[in-house]
Amino acid sequence: TMLNYSEFGTSSGAPALLIAHGLFGSGRNWSVIAKRLADQRRVITVDMRNHGDSPRADTQTYQDMADDLAEVIRYLGAPMDVCGHSMGGKASMMLALKHSDLVRRLIVADIAPVPYDHSQQEFIDAMRTVDLSSLTRRSDAQDQLAAAGVEPALQSFFTQSLDVVTKSWKLNLDVLEAAMPDIVGWPEDITGSFDGPAFFLSGATSHYVLPDYRPTIKRLFPKAYFAKIPKAGHWLHAENPRAFEAAVRTFLNSD
């Protein structure tokens, strides 16, 4: 079964843009940006496996996530431009390396092809503290996440993956927890390179894409360009959406 996806805009002369969200997200997080970019091109947002309305699976490896994205692109029409944030950025990089014929241009939002040592376990713990049975509205969950120490911006982000009607998370927390080493990691044995244009767009206050990582990035993505979004950290598309959108447009429309 294929990933759940949404389409915005209509096919113009430009290739379609596929957007892959990050951990604990869904395609919904990107709908505003997708609608705005859809004035010039067709835009597809997906729910990654174990997120949103996409199928549940036992693994969360980047090879598997890349194959999921490849299936959507082949179904809707290859090649596409691809934009991925965080976990979705790593999945998009893997897609470009494994299935280079499916990707025209690549945008990687605030992540590098390296293993990280931070875990996202604290957020899984926080989501598990929410008493789902008592929920009547989304704000109830935000209050409980606040009590668990989650900052306001992330409270609203996480609760976008809450189904208030069925009183459940649209996240397979058990598999995401078990697969955390894969999610924060990056396979050591990756070889080859993607020869298309690749845009590494980072938040100016984020520490996810360090100068030390540039040789690794350039080896895998020889046509890598780098830029920073001002007044933004790791959640750059949410913290400064207009600047993010403008940078994406410029890159996609450049020769």
Side-chain angles (χ1 to χ4, degrees):
T1 43
M2 197 157 61
L3 297 182
N4 182 60
Y5 67 88
S6 299
E7 291 187 77
F8 304 84
T10 52
S11 186
S12 62
L17 173 67
L18 178 85
I19 299 177
H21 66 79
L23 182 63
F24 307 133
S26 70
R28 262 185 69 180
N29 305 145
W30 287 84
S31 55
V32 173
I33 287 177
K35 280 174 191 153
R36 290 178 61 95
L37 291 171
D39 65 340
Q40 293 183 345
R41 69 194 74 243
R42 189 162 152 235
V43 182
I44 292 100
T45 59
V46 296
D47 294 344
M48 305 293 276
R49 62 172 51 207
N50 293 316
H51 291 72
D53 295 319
S54 277
R56 300 309 184 226
D58 293 333
T59 65
Q60 199 76 26
T61 68
Y62 287 112
Q63 284 94 337
D64 288 342
M65 286 187 268
D67 291 345
D68 292 344
L69 296 176
E71 185 181 22
V72 173
I73 293 175
R74 288 193 181 106
Y75 178 74
L76 293 174
M80 287 187 186
D81 293 329
V82 179
C83 172
H85 172 246
S86 204
M87 176 190 81
K90 282 187 168 177
S92 299
M93 286 188 279
M94 187 66 74
L95 170 73
L97 292 167
K98 277 186 77 174
H99 306 283
S100 59
D101 56 314
L102 302 181
V103 181
R104 189 189 75 123
R105 290 181 165 229
L106 177 67
I107 299 162
V108 181
D110 210 68
I111 202 79
V114 299
Y116 291 85
D117 57 10
H118 58 254
S119 163
Q120 306 290 331
Q121 182 65 40
E122 61 181 299
F123 299 126
I124 291 181
D125 294 341
M127 282 185 257
R128 286 210 172 112
T129 68
V130 175
D131 178 9
L132 295 168
S133 62
S134 69
L135 289 185
T136 53
R137 59 184 77 83
R138 207 170 290 271
S139 57
D140 296 344
Q142 293 197 12
D143 294 342
Q144 293 183 42
L145 289 172
V150 177
E151 61 182 273
L154 291 180
Q155 293 163 28
S156 59
F157 169 68
F158 293 149
T159 54
Q160 282 182 39
S161 287
L162 194 62
D163 188 331
V164 177
V165 177
T166 61
K167 299 183 188 295
S168 61
W169 290 104
K170 288 192 170 191
L171 298 164
N172 190 345
L173 292 177
D174 291 343
V175 168
L176 296 177
E177 179 175 42
M180 196 59 71
D182 285 329
I183 294 169
V184 300
W186 178 256
E188 284 174 17
D189 53 358
I190 295 303
T191 55
S193 63
F194 172 68
D195 295 326
F199 191 26
F200 285 77
L201 194 52
S202 305
T205 62
S206 170
H207 304 294
Y208 276 72
V209 185
L210 300 174
D212 297 0
Y213 302 156
R214 288 205 177 189
T216 302
I217 292 170
K218 281 286 200 183
R219 191 179 77 245
L220 296 172
F221 303 96
K223 289 192 187 150
Y225 305 82
F226 298 88
K228 288 192 188 304
I229 296 291
K231 302 192 190 75
H234 183 58
W235 309 93
L236 64 177
H237 61 292
E239 292 168 36
N240 198 341
R242 294 299 160 265
F244 182 87
E245 177 200 332
V248 167
R249 274 187 200 280
T250 302
F251 174 69
L252 291 180
N253 294 336
S254 60
D255 295 331

